[in-house]
Amino acid sequence: SQTIHQWPATLVQPVGSPLSLECTVEGTSNPNLYWYRQAAGRGLQLLFYSVGIGQISSEVPQNLSASRPQDRQFILSSKKLLLSDSGFYLCARDSQGTRSEQYFGPGTRLTVT
Amino acid sequence: QKEVEQDPGPLSVPEGAIVSLNCTYSNSAFQYFMWYRQYSRKGPELLMYTYSSGNKEDGRFTAQVDKSSKYISLFIRDSQPSDSATYLCAMSRTGFQKLVFGTGTRLLVSP
């Protein structure tokens, strides 16, 4: 089966601290990968997507960055967290066929204090 | 105007009721339509996926797309307390296009 792992599951970080969230995908090769943020009571905001190793497209200019060092690994980072970075971060992959539907990981809940 | 509009709810129904969840959209180029279920503090789970217009049925769930009205629906028959969750609609223009999500409708099914 194709599984998405995310860690950590929850994280509490002070303002100004760095961030690294990891996403790994099993059971598929060359997936398109996505990072979303979901703020409380709001929809899903696409942050980054990647079509391959080292290829990152940014959707929203902000203090976050993403990297894809391996085919099945996608990392979300920040050098200095802001209060507004709090939220639920979701990694997703698309389907192997039509590439239209997306499947999500379990998410990381980030609280910036 | 948002590309995709979805009533946030909450929608409260008794167990066994038929539930209708809806989204409207403005971009006539959308061709792929999805419904996700999201339990509290969990990632969204893909429930239904349809291409273009028409109906698709899977167990107690039916997805309906009316492209002429730019309107999609998800029907849940014989609703159960375990169906209590937030339901998100999503859509895209073609394969490997960014998904556009609704903000979600919270459904509460009481026993």
Side-chain angles (χ1 to χ4, degrees):
Chain A
S1 65
Q2 299 175 21
T3 305
I4 302 175
H5 300 282
Q6 288 187 246
W7 62 88
T10 59
L11 192 59
V12 180
Q13 292 282 91
V15 168
S17 64
L19 173 74
S20 181
L21 303 181
E22 190 165 344
C23 169
T24 57
V25 181
E26 290 181 356
T28 183
S29 59
N30 195 31
N32 294 327
L33 298 176
Y34 305 80
W35 277 113
Y36 288 88
R37 178 170 59 203
Q38 187 176 37
R42 300 179 65 178
L44 287 157
Q45 179 187 33
L46 179 63
L47 301 175
F48 302 94
Y49 67 93
S50 171
V51 300
I53 296 173
Q55 300 180 66
I56 307 295
S57 296
S58 174
E59 288 296 303
V60 183
Q62 54 201 321
N63 69 320
L64 299 172
S65 61
S67 62
R68 188 166 175 180
Q70 300 179 43
D71 182 47
R72 301 176 193 180
Q73 185 184 32
F74 202 21
I75 297 171
L76 183 69
S77 305
S78 174
K79 292 182 179 178
K80 289 186 177 182
L81 282 169
L82 306 173
L83 284 174
S84 58
D85 292 323
S86 293
F88 192 41
Y89 288 82
L90 291 154
C91 178
R93 64 159 181 87
D94 59 15
S95 61
Q96 288 289 89
T98 62
R99 301 281 197 185
S100 52
E101 69 269 35
Q102 292 181 14
Y103 299 88
F104 288 85
T108 294
R109 186 160 302 279
L110 171 67
T111 302
V112 182
T113 60
Chain B
Q1 182 189 8
K2 292 181 181 178
E3 276 194 291
V4 178
E5 299 275 2
Q6 188 174 9
D7 189 322
L11 176 61
S12 296
V13 301
E15 183 175 356
I18 296 174
V19 175
S20 173
L21 302 165
N22 311 294
C23 286
T24 58
Y25 61 95
S26 57
N27 190 341
S28 59
F30 287 141
Q31 296 188 68
Y32 295 87
F33 303 91
M34 282 137 273
W35 284 97
Y36 289 85
R37 177 175 62 194
Q38 186 176 23
Y39 292 114
S40 181
R41 296 180 172 270
K42 302 291 184 183
E45 171 194 10
L46 182 63
L47 269 182
M48 299 289 284
Y49 162 68
T50 52
Y51 170 70
S52 194
S53 285
N55 292 0
K56 185 174 184 179
E57 186 174 325
D58 184 1
R60 297 185 295 111
F61 299 91
T62 299
Q64 198 171 76
V65 175
D66 182 349
K67 291 188 72 180
S68 62
S69 301
K70 298 190 185 68
Y71 190 87
I72 68 170
S73 300
L74 177 70
F75 298 97
I76 306 175
R77 292 182 298 280
D78 187 25
S79 57
Q80 303 295 309
S82 59
D83 294 327
S84 297
T86 296
Y87 290 80
L88 300 159
C89 65
M91 48 199 79
S92 67
R93 289 175 291 164
T94 62
F96 187 46
Q97 287 288 326
K98 293 173 287 183
L99 288 186
V100 180
F101 285 86
T103 52
T105 298
R106 188 174 169 213
L107 172 67
L108 302 172
V109 181
S110 55

